Amino acid sequence: MDQYDDDFFDENIEKINHLSARVLIAGNIVPLALFIFTKLGIFRLPTQLLFIAQCILVFASLIQFSLLKVISNSKFKSSNPFLYRKIQNFSKYYTPIIVNIIVGFLATQAHIGVYISWSFVVFLSCLYYDIKLTRVMCFVGYLILVGAQYIKSGNRFVEGITEGNSHLFDFIAFTAGYTIEW
């Protein structure tokens, strides 16, 4: 690759990192909206869960915003290109993983249907033009999906809303469906 290609990808990564930061900031409304829907009786979600999700999102947004301040500084970019690339690379993995964790965290609840939300992170990672990142996000997202589904199946079994005889049957049935979709 020549210098022009490197500059293009560096600029693209920086733009998508800024977009990812805006996604995290916008995501801060989700736990608040779910809290309001819970108070209105539309959802039945534990307030403690929503508070934890909100804290994670605020903290993650602050970290991403701080990282962007550093890598947006042209003086830093020119004076320390190695560290600039490391921080930029960390930042491009950071937001998709945080979004995966938040979606997985909310998906553990029996009354929240998180379906297409899982693919959002994969779509976001494709914007970086980095096949390795996309593959990692697919794998991490799938692992979080399976873990969240296991917890959700347990919650569904405890609440008596399973579609099978047991927690394990419910887990296998839903995970098989999600695996086919994935």
Side-chain angles (χ1 to χ4, degrees):
M1 283 196 312
D2 60 12
Q3 182 61 35
Y4 179 75
D5 289 339
D6 287 342
D7 290 343
F8 169 79
F9 285 111
D10 284 345
E11 186 178 317
N12 183 63
I13 290 169
E14 192 169 324
K15 285 180 181 177
I16 303 306
N17 281 341
H18 282 277
L19 175 67
S20 295
R22 289 193 296 271
V23 165
L24 271 181
I25 290 168
N28 277 281
I29 198 165
V30 172
L32 180 61
L34 291 174
F35 175 76
I36 291 169
F37 291 145
T38 297
K39 291 300 178 189
L40 293 173
I42 297 170
F43 289 124
R44 292 181 296 174
L45 301 172
T47 306
Q48 183 180 12
L49 170 91
L50 298 173
F51 179 74
I52 292 169
Q54 187 70 60
C55 289
I56 291 170
L57 274 167
V58 167
F59 185 68
S61 298
L62 290 173
I63 289 173
Q64 181 69 352
F65 181 75
S66 300
L67 290 171
L68 288 178
K69 280 294 189 190
V70 170
I71 62 177
S72 295
N73 184 336
S74 58
K75 186 185 275 188
F76 175 75
K77 182 179 179 178
S78 61
S79 67
N80 202 338
F82 177 76
L83 187 56
Y84 165 80
R85 284 193 187 273
K86 288 291 184 188
I87 293 172
Q88 192 177 40
N89 198 42
F90 174 79
S91 183
K92 81 178 184 182
Y93 279 85
Y94 175 76
T95 301
I97 287 174
I98 293 297
V99 173
N100 258 330
I101 290 169
I102 293 296
V103 170
F105 188 66
L106 293 174
T108 61
Q109 297 304 300
H111 299 286
I112 296 180
V114 177
Y115 305 105
I116 196 71
S117 302
W118 291 105
S119 60
F120 174 73
V121 175
V122 177
F123 297 143
L124 182 66
S125 69
C126 288
L127 296 175
Y128 285 102
Y129 302 117
D130 184 344
I131 191 92
K132 180 183 172 191
L133 173 69
T134 304
R135 287 179 179 155
V136 167
M137 289 307 115
C138 281
F139 183 71
V140 167
Y142 182 74
L143 289 179
I144 292 172
L145 168 105
V146 170
Q149 188 57 46
Y150 184 78
I151 294 168
K152 184 177 195 166
S153 294
N155 291 341
R156 290 168 53 87
F157 187 72
V158 167
E159 293 181 23
I161 55 175
T162 62
E163 294 189 12
N165 302 341
S166 69
H167 166 252
L168 185 60
F169 179 84
D170 190 69
F171 169 69
I172 291 171
F174 277 95
T175 302
Y178 280 129
T179 299
I180 290 168
E181 289 176 9
W182 198 259

